[in-house]
Amino acid sequence: WLFLILSVIYPVYYLLKNFRNIQLRFKITKSDVYIFVVLLLFLGTFYMYSKGAFAYPYLEDDDPWSHAIGIKYVSIEKTVFMPKETAKRLQYINPYPPSYDLLFGVLHQTSSSIMWTMKFFNALIISLSIIFFYFFVKRFTGSNKKALFSTFALAMIPAFLSHFIWAISLTVPLYFVAFYCTEKIEDDKKWILPSSLVIASALTISPTHSTYFGLFFILYFVTKMILSRRFLRHLFFSGFLGLLLSFLFWWGPMIYQYGVNGLLQSVGVQENVFGISGTGDRLYDVGDFIFAKSQNMINNPIGIGIFLSILLVISLFVLILKYRSLIKKENHWSIISLVWL
C-alpha cells in the first residue's frame, strides 16, 4: 500500500490540476495501431512465459531456490542485510547485490505463495521488457516502423530470456528503461534524475549483467560524444550519479565489510574474470550464437537464429554503403570499427 500511494500521488495531482483541460479523443492514430501491436506481442510473450512457468509444480534447480530463500528472508525480516558471519548461508543476500530479492520480497505481500509470486512476477517483468524496448527504439530512431520491427525481432529471438527465475530477468529489462531515460535527457534535463535512479538500480541487481550494463553505457556515451563532437555533460552526470548512488547504497558498504578481494570472491567474479564462460557453466562457440537450438538449457534457450544473424550482417553492410560518403568525409572509420567489434 505504501508503494501504491507513492506511485499515484503525482498522477492524481496532475489530473486535479489539469482536469478542465483534459479532452477525451476517440480517433485512432497510426501511432495507436503500433502500440496496440506491441501490446499483443507483450500479451503473447506473457502468456508463453507464465504458461511455461506454471506447467509444473516446482522450481528449477539452483537460482530459483536460492532466490526463494532470499526473498522469503526479505519479506520476513524487512531488510536485505544479514550478519557477515551468517550471510553465506543465503547465496543472494549480502554481499550479492540485493535488488531482485528486495523487489520480490515486497511483491510477496500480494500472495501467500512464494512460488506463485516468483513465477508470476518474473514472467511479467520479462514480458514488460517488450514494451520498454519498443519505446526505447522509437525514441532512439525516431521511427514507429523501425521500433515495431525491432520489437518483433526481439520478441522472436529464442535466446532472449526465458521463464527461468534469476536476477537477470530484472537487469535486462532495465537496460531499455535506462537508455530510454538517458535519450530523453536531450528533451528535458530533468530526466537526469529518473535516469540516474534506473542506472543505480541496474548496477545493483547482478554482478555480471550489471557490469555488462556499465560497458554498454560507456560505449553508448563515447559514441554519442564522438558523433556530437562535444562533451555531453548532462549524460555524463546522469551516469556518474547513478554509479555514485549504487556505490553509496550497496557496493561501498560491502567493500568496507568484506574488502575488495572478499567481495569479488563472494559474488564469484574472480573465478570468471578472464574466462568467456556462459551462464550455463560452459564455453559458448560461434554456432551457439548463430543457430537456435531445439532444446533449451535449464536457464535459457541458446542462439539468436540463422535469419536474424544473416539480417544483422546484411544490415551492417547496408549501413556502410548508405553512409560511405559521410564515413569517408568525416573519417568515421573508428565508429565502424567499434560497431563491428
Side-chain angles (χ1 to χ4, degrees):
W1 62 267
L2 179 62
F3 286 97
L4 176 62
I5 291 175
L6 292 174
S7 66
V8 300
I9 287 177
Y10 183 76
V12 170
Y13 166 75
Y14 180 86
L15 287 173
L16 293 176
K17 183 179 179 181
N18 299 279
F19 183 77
R20 293 183 178 180
N21 299 325
I22 296 177
Q23 295 180 352
L24 297 177
R25 65 175 179 86
F26 298 97
K27 182 180 179 180
I28 298 177
T29 64
K30 186 179 292 187
S31 178
D32 296 330
V33 175
Y34 286 117
I35 294 175
F36 177 74
V37 175
V38 172
L39 290 176
L40 291 179
L41 287 173
F42 157 74
L43 291 173
T45 304
F46 181 51
Y47 173 80
M48 175 181 64
Y49 286 140
S50 58
K51 184 74 173 178
F54 287 101
Y56 42 84
Y58 52 82
L59 296 172
E60 296 88 345
D61 291 339
D62 200 20
D63 289 73
W65 283 107
S66 298
H67 280 299
I69 300 171
I71 291 167
K72 179 63 74 171
Y73 174 80
V74 172
S75 68
I76 294 173
E77 299 296 334
K78 309 297 187 293
T79 180
V80 294
F81 294 99
M82 202 173 187
K84 181 179 178 180
E85 58 274 9
T86 58
K88 288 186 178 180
R89 297 178 184 175
L90 300 185
Q91 184 176 355
Y92 296 123
I93 294 295
N94 55 294
Y96 195 93
S99 295
Y100 186 81
D101 287 4
L102 168 62
L103 174 63
F104 278 71
V106 175
L107 292 172
H108 190 21
Q109 298 176 60
T110 61
S111 171
S112 59
S113 169
I114 190 169
M115 191 171 297
W116 184 92
T117 301
M118 295 172 65
K119 289 188 174 186
F120 178 84
F121 286 107
N122 189 73
L124 177 62
I125 291 171
I126 295 170
S127 304
L128 284 173
S129 62
I130 301 296
I131 299 176
F132 300 155
F133 183 74
Y134 170 78
F135 284 102
F136 158 64
V137 179
K138 178 184 176 183
R139 178 63 183 83
F140 192 69
T141 63
S143 171
N144 287 322
K145 293 180 180 179
K146 293 177 182 178
L148 181 60
F149 177 81
S150 301
T151 304
F152 178 79
L154 178 73
M156 295 301 108
I157 292 177
F160 180 67
L161 299 177
S162 69
H163 63 255
F164 186 75
I165 297 170
W166 56 351
I168 295 172
S169 301
L170 179 60
T171 312
V172 175
L174 281 184
Y175 284 16
F176 310 138
V177 180
F179 285 114
Y180 173 82
C181 291
T182 53
E183 280 291 306
K184 293 290 287 185
I185 293 176
E186 297 178 5
D187 300 335
D188 189 344
K189 301 303 181 289
K190 293 179 182 178
W191 277 91
I192 290 176
L193 180 58
S195 64
S196 300
L197 292 175
V198 179
I199 290 171
S201 301
L203 293 175
T204 54
I205 299 176
S206 161
T208 53
H209 286 66
S210 294
T211 304
Y212 300 156
F213 170 79
L215 295 174
F216 274 127
F217 186 87
I218 292 172
L219 291 173
Y220 164 80
F221 172 74
V222 171
T223 304
K224 285 188 71 86
M225 193 168 61
I226 293 174
L227 293 175
S228 61
R229 296 182 176 180
R230 60 188 177 89
F231 182 74
L232 304 175
R233 65 180 187 277
H234 295 99
L235 182 59
F236 173 82
F237 181 73
S238 175
F240 177 78
L241 182 58
L243 178 63
L244 180 63
L245 288 173
S246 69
F247 186 82
L248 292 175
F249 169 69
W250 189 256
W251 296 115
M254 293 301 101
I255 291 175
Y256 175 79
Q257 188 174 9
Y258 293 88
V260 175
N261 289 332
L263 175 63
L264 293 176
Q265 290 176 356
S266 297
V267 298
V269 172
Q270 279 189 338
E271 300 172 4
N272 296 316
V273 71
F274 294 114
I276 322 174
S277 60
T279 50
D281 298 325
R282 71 173 180 83
L283 294 178
Y284 289 164
D285 56 32
V286 177
D288 287 324
F289 290 93
I290 297 176
F291 302 103
K293 305 299 184 291
S294 59
Q295 183 174 349
N296 295 352
M297 299 185 69
I298 187 175
N299 54 358
N300 219 64
I302 299 177
I304 297 173
I306 187 66
F307 177 79
L308 289 177
S309 297
I310 294 174
L311 186 63
L312 170 64
V313 176
I314 293 176
S315 65
L316 290 175
F317 276 114
V318 170
L319 284 173
I320 293 176
L321 292 175
K322 183 177 180 180
Y323 295 105
R324 63 184 183 278
S325 58
L326 178 63
I327 294 170
K328 185 176 181 180
K329 179 181 177 181
E330 302 290 343
N331 194 24
H332 280 163
W333 286 107
S334 57
I335 300 291
I336 297 301
S337 302
L338 185 63
V339 170
W340 276 103
L341 179 62

